[in-house]
Amino acid sequence: MRGGLWQLGQSITRRLAKGDKKAVARRCFATESELKKTVLYDFHVAHGGKMVPFAGWSMPIQYKDSIMDSTLNCRQNGSLFDVSHMCGLSLKGKDAVAFLEKLVIADVAALAPGTGSLTVFTNEKGGAIDDSVITKVTDDHIYLVVNAGCRDKDLAHIEEHMKAFKAKGGDVSWHIHDERSLIALQGPLAAPVLQHLTKDDLSKFYFGEFRVLDINGSECFLTRTGYTGEDGFEISVPSEHGVELAKALLEKSEGKIRLTGLGARDSLRLEAGLCLYGNDLEQHITPIEAGLTWAIGKRRRAEGGFLGADVILKQLADGPSIRRVGFISSGPPPRSHSEIQDEGGNNIGEVTSGGFSPCLKKNIAMGYVKSGLHKAGTKVKIIIRGKANEGVVTKMPFVPTKYYKPS
């Protein structure tokens, strides 16, 4: 879905206040009968969730509190997100690592068992098909999660290449975890609250690590990761235990961790400087242009071997023509597609995500500009509704991240 979910949330809040549910459905390009529902759907509705169409699912954009308050509460206490619309899958077999390395930029072979990384699925031109968090569970088992809006094309892409790989004798198979739900627990209280529900010592479990363990009586896949910049976890739980786990997490927090919707999730990830696929990352954008060079393993930079490697390695050597950067600006909040100009009024790029930062109390945005104009401190003009507003290129993340790493 193009455009900022934060702004969409504000628009939907106003529409729902007027009882205009048909306009909301039109705005989101779907009808209720066509939408898939997660196992937590009734739980969301019972807790005041304002449900909207998103990537073919009916998902909560917010609850009874405002998106502003919800964002701040995540940073101060914590948030519980239903992200079951995302697609978890496992690749298994002695050649699973070799197969995946044909499709992504990560050095999967170098990952220690039980650790993972952000990566990008690339196409033949080096563009991003999707971004994904991948985990090497063991040397012959990879667990990964792909974006809901990219599910169909991602699975078709993986399946097509898997058939060719297996036809040449490769040993790899897959399982799509539609029997599981995915809950994200984020914020400073995430670890102490989750610790109440598991015997495993979470103080020895660091950012990017993965375990299979018992949580609240269910066998869960636990990854210490998230999409907010805060410490936190993504919990893959058997769907029949999803509601029970969500209730237990909220109860153990004594009301401090709140159910949180897509609106606050978008402002949180923007403050953390994280890409939203479909806005900041697309089929024609390479990982180098997107500022994700760090995700390309050292061995992969030397050997290539993934789709579009020739384009990406050339950009690594020569530098890209455009780069993703952050901005702070005056005037109305920038929106996706807002034009970016230099001080002389020349077009130098476009905003891909923008909104008002609840934590910083100022406008923040990210977008792409011509190389050479990407350095922090560069003054720009952002055109909103025909009017030029002052802006400055700013380092990301806008809000410092708090990932839990060994000291």
Side-chain angles (χ1 to χ4, degrees), residues 119-138:
T119 195
V120 178
F121 282 86
T122 49
N123 58 34
E124 287 82 356
K125 295 181 179 178
I129 292 174
D130 197 6
D131 57 339
S132 171
V133 173
I134 60 166
T135 301
K136 183 196 275 185
V137 183
T138 64

Side-chain angles (χ1 to χ4, degrees), residues 156-290:
H157 176 73
I158 294 167
E159 185 174 33
E160 177 191 351
H161 286 273
M162 188 183 295
K163 282 180 181 174
F165 186 81
K166 290 173 79 169
K168 293 178 180 177
D171 176 28
V172 63
S173 61
W174 67 342
H175 174 74
I176 300 159
H177 291 290
D178 285 339
E179 78 285 359
R180 289 182 165 269
S181 295
L182 195 61
I183 291 171
L185 186 67
Q186 300 284 295
L189 295 183
V193 166
L194 184 59
Q195 189 64 78
H196 288 298
L197 301 180
T198 183
K199 292 177 181 175
D200 285 55
D201 183 1
L202 299 178
S203 71
K204 303 290 194 300
F205 183 47
Y206 299 107
F207 178 71
E209 293 186 348
F210 172 96
R211 289 183 192 171
V212 179
L213 72 172
D214 184 284
I215 299 175
N216 201 44
S218 299
E219 185 182 84
C220 295
F221 304 161
L222 184 68
T223 313
R224 196 152 196 165
T225 188
Y227 194 48
T228 63
E230 297 294 317
D231 179 30
F233 305 87
E234 289 186 357
I235 310 165
S236 173
V237 57
S239 288
E240 63 270 23
H241 301 303
V243 174
E244 185 184 333
L245 177 58
K247 285 179 180 176
L249 290 166
L250 293 173
E251 285 169 11
K252 291 296 182 185
S253 82
E254 298 178 343
K256 291 182 178 177
I257 289 177
R258 297 183 201 159
L259 284 167
T260 308
L262 293 173
R265 185 169 158 86
D266 192 50
S267 58
L268 287 158
R269 71 91 195 167
L270 182 56
E271 289 181 339
L274 301 173
C275 291
L276 173 65
Y277 193 89
N279 279 41
D280 316 299
L281 205 54
E282 294 198 67
Q283 299 262 15
H284 61 277
I285 298 290
T286 72
I288 310 295
E289 294 164 344

Side-chain angles (χ1 to χ4, degrees), residues 45-56:
V45 173
H47 285 79
K50 294 171 182 171
M51 310 303 289
V52 301
F54 182 78

Side-chain angles (χ1 to χ4, degrees), residues 25 49 53 56 80 84-85 89 110 120 137 228 254 259 268 290 316 352 398:
L80 190 152
S84 304
H85 58 311
L89 62 140
V120 178
V137 183
T228 63
E254 298 178 343
L259 284 167
L268 287 158
L316 257 177
T352 52
F398 299 101

Side-chain angles (χ1 to χ4, degrees), residues 1 5 7-32 34-35 49-55 57-62 262:
M1 179 181 291
L5 286 168
Q7 281 125 359
L8 174 60
Q10 303 308 304
S11 168
I12 286 170
T13 300
R14 291 191 293 272
R15 294 282 191 180
L16 289 173
K18 296 175 184 175
D20 194 357
K21 291 186 178 180
K22 288 183 180 177
V24 170
R26 286 196 304 273
R27 169 66 180 83
C28 298
F29 319 114
T31 62
E32 279 187 43
E34 297 168 339
L35 299 173
K50 294 171 182 171
M51 310 303 289
V52 301
F54 182 78
W57 294 78
S58 182
M59 299 298 293
I61 192 89
Q62 68 183 101
L262 293 173

